[in-house]
């Protein structure tokens, strides 16, 4: 009970310090709201590389010729040849490919007889920018292929022999806003939590209250826990407000479960609190804490997959990026919002966050104890 009272007093003290400080209060309230609306309305992006799979039921000379045209553009990377229709859903769901090209069994026969033939493109709507660019590329390939058929005398008549049929899963209208806004709660809460926690211990040192905190009846672990809870509370509050705003204001579909959302955000924000306290424990001034926070934030957000796919990075950088907590929460949030993921489906994103939190929080406590001696 004594420990609980001390922790409660310390948490209340931290909350009051944040709310009474105009700068900290501004960081918690104004910038996150501004960033949320600016990113939601204005952010756009492009990419170049597209992973795809092929379901070729015809396996004829003309179908192989068309697929060779696709491969020859250099803009696509073949990841799988599918054997049955059931593998299409599995390939898209597991993100093994961004789109699947489906060629029917009557492809060559219909082309040679002069009938119109459809090639079905099944795109992953969770990445609308990828889908739109890929479909645009394939439209050009289809046009060139039709011209080639006419020159060879294979297609009859003046109309096109080949038509492209587009389908997008998870994001039927390929709205880039769905892709961007669904992840913003994690990104913006990262900025808020990182700045608040990276300044917490440094503020005590700069204001001269660090020694008073040390002589108070608090253990270093209790001090770190007391400084962690306010950051977690503010981070969860911001993230949940932005998730609600995404659904209510921007009409982004929420297809997953509340439990998956809450657990993912809690694990992520706890990890960011650990990183922030680690930076703060190493800093002697608030300026150093702020610089340390931005030193983490810039690469973490840039390499998170928010705007450009992680798959476009060099393989060695993709492996290093597994240590980036922002990457995991963005993937989890998009799967929860757009794909309808439950807790089990986002577990692959949660357990790396738990490992990172179990490293950063004890390390921050050890550094705090070591530097307080």
């Amino acid at each position: 009970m004594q420990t609980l009272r001390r922790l409660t007093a310390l948490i209340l003290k931290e909350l009051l310090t944040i709310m009474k400080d105009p700068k900290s209060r501004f960081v918690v309230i104004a910038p996150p709201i501004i960033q949320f609306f600016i990113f939601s309305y204005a952010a756009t992006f492009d990419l170049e590389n597209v992973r795809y799979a092929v379901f070729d039921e015809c396996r004829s000379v003309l179908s192989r010729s068309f697929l060779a045209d696709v491969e020859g553009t250099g803009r696509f990377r073949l990841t799988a040849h599918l054997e049955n229709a059931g593998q299409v859903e599995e390939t898209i769901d597991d993100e093994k490919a961004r789109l699947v090209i489906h060629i029917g069994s009557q492809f060559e026969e219909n082309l040679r007889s002069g009938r119109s033939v459809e090639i079905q493109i099944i795109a992953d709507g969770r990445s609308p920018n990828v889908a739109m660019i890929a479909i645009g590329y394939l439209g050009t390939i289809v046009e060139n292929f039709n011209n080639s058929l006419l020159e060879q005398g294979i297609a009859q008549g003046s109309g096109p022999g080949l038509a492209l049929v587009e389908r997008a899963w998870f994001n039927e209208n390929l709205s880039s806003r769905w892709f961007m806004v669904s992840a913003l709660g994690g990104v913006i809460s990262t900025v808020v939590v990182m700045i608040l926690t990276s300044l917490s211990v440094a503020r005590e040192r700069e204001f001269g209250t660090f020694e008073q905190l040390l002589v108070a009846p608090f253990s270093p672990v209790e001090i770190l826990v007391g400084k962690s809870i306010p950051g977690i509370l503010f981070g969860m509050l911001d993230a949940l407000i932005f998730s609600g705003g995404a659904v209510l204001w921007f009409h982004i579909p929420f297809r997953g479960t509340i439990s998956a959302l809450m657990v993912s955000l809690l694990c992520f924000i706890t990890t960011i609190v650990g990183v922030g306290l680690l930076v703060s424990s190493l800093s002697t001034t608030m300026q150093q804490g702020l610089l340390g926070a931005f030193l983490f934030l810039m690469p973490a957000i840039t390499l998170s997959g928010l705007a450009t796919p992680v798959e476009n990075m060099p393989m060695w950088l993709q492996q290093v990026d597994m240590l980036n907590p922002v990457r995991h929460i963005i993937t989890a949030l998009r799967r929860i919002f757009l794909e309808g993921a439950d807790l089990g489906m986002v577990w692959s994103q949660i357990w790396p966050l738990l490992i990172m939190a179990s490293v950063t929080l004890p390390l921050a406590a050890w550094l705090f104890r070591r530097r307080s001696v």
Side-chain angles (χ1 to χ4, degrees):
M1 291 299 296
Q2 291 296 325
T3 300
L4 183 60
R5 290 194 188 96
R6 291 197 297 269
L7 282 175
T8 303
L10 190 56
I11 291 170
L12 289 175
K13 176 254 183 190
E14 287 295 317
L15 289 171
L16 290 173
T17 300
I18 292 172
M19 296 312 296
K20 286 183 178 181
D21 180 17
K23 295 180 181 178
S24 298
R25 192 166 60 243
F26 179 78
V27 166
V28 171
I29 299 173
I33 295 175
I34 295 171
Q35 292 171 12
F36 179 71
F37 283 101
I38 288 177
F39 276 110
S40 300
Y41 280 114
T44 58
F45 43 87
D46 295 308
L47 62 93
E48 298 179 354
N49 193 27
V50 181
R51 290 179 290 111
Y52 76 104
V54 171
F55 179 32
D56 183 3
E57 294 185 280
C58 185
R59 300 175 185 267
S60 64
V61 173
L62 288 182
S63 69
R64 286 194 295 267
S65 175
F66 174 77
L67 293 174
D69 289 347
V70 175
E71 186 71 19
T73 63
R75 297 185 179 275
F76 295 87
R77 178 163 57 89
L78 180 63
T79 58
H81 284 281
L82 309 184
E83 299 298 329
N84 56 69
Q87 291 180 303
V88 174
E89 182 176 354
E90 177 186 348
T91 301
I92 296 292
D93 285 355
D94 295 343
E95 299 185 10
K96 296 175 182 177
R98 295 292 189 181
L99 56 89
V100 173
I101 300 176
H102 178 204
I103 298 177
S105 58
Q106 304 298 313
F107 178 83
E108 181 165 350
E109 179 182 340
N110 289 339
L111 278 178
R112 294 187 181 277
S113 62
R115 293 191 293 269
S116 180
V117 180
E118 293 181 347
I119 287 185
Q120 190 174 56
I121 305 299
I122 305 166
D124 185 350
R126 291 168 293 189
S127 299
N129 194 61
V130 177
M132 287 186 290
I133 291 177
I135 290 171
Y137 290 155
L138 289 171
T140 302
I141 295 171
V142 166
E143 183 179 352
N144 294 335
F145 188 75
N146 284 328
N147 293 335
S148 174
L149 293 178
L150 291 172
E151 291 175 1
Q152 298 173 41
I154 296 176
Q156 301 176 11
S158 57
L162 195 61
L164 203 62
V165 178
E166 307 165 8
R167 292 176 58 199
W169 287 2
F170 307 116
N171 185 355
E172 294 80 4
N173 297 320
L174 296 178
S175 172
S176 60
R177 181 166 293 164
W178 287 20
F179 179 73
M180 182 66 72
V181 176
S182 60
L184 280 183
V187 175
I188 298 176
S189 63
T190 303
V191 178
V192 173
V193 174
M194 191 66 195
I195 292 177
L196 287 179
T197 53
S198 64
L199 297 179
S200 59
V201 178
R203 184 192 297 112
E204 302 282 359
R205 289 195 176 101
E206 190 165 317
F207 288 175
T209 57
F210 186 66
E211 289 75 13
Q212 298 177 13
L213 196 61
L214 293 178
V215 299
F218 299 114
S219 69
V221 173
E222 289 174 345
I223 294 174
L224 264 295
V225 171
K227 289 185 173 295
S228 299
I229 299 300
I232 293 175
L233 291 177
F234 282 117
M236 286 294 293
L237 180 62
D238 278 339
L240 291 175
I241 288 174
F242 297 140
S243 296
V247 175
L248 299 176
W249 184 269
F250 292 103
H251 306 293
I252 309 300
F254 183 83
R255 296 166 175 159
T257 62
I258 298 294
S259 60
L261 178 67
M262 295 293 291
V263 172
S264 300
L265 287 173
L266 181 60
C267 294
F268 167 71
I269 290 171
T270 303
T271 303
I272 297 299
V273 165
V275 176
L277 290 175
L278 188 61
V279 170
S280 193
S281 298
L282 292 170
S283 306
T284 56
T285 65
M286 293 177 66
Q287 185 179 22
Q288 290 180 0
L290 195 60
L291 289 174
F294 278 101
L295 187 64
F296 168 81
L297 286 171
M298 289 302 293
I301 294 175
T302 302
L303 302 177
S304 65
L306 175 67
T308 56
V310 174
E311 294 88 342
N312 276 14
M313 303 175 190
M315 185 55 65
W316 66 268
L317 189 55
Q318 293 184 39
Q319 299 299 324
V320 173
D321 199 39
M322 292 297 294
L323 300 175
N324 181 7
V326 187
R327 168 184 177 174
H328 296 289
I329 193 59
I330 284 179
T331 302
L333 288 175
R334 284 174 176 159
R335 296 194 70 182
I336 292 169
F337 272 86
L338 304 180
E339 192 176 333
D342 57 17
L343 195 55
M345 294 174 66
V346 295
W347 174 246
S348 60
Q349 309 302 324
I350 292 175
W351 70 259
L353 295 173
L354 293 175
I355 292 176
M356 285 183 267
S358 66
V359 172
T360 55
L361 286 169
L363 184 57
W366 178 80
L367 284 172
F368 180 81
R369 187 164 51 243
R370 183 172 179 268
R371 290 173 67 88
S372 63
V373 175

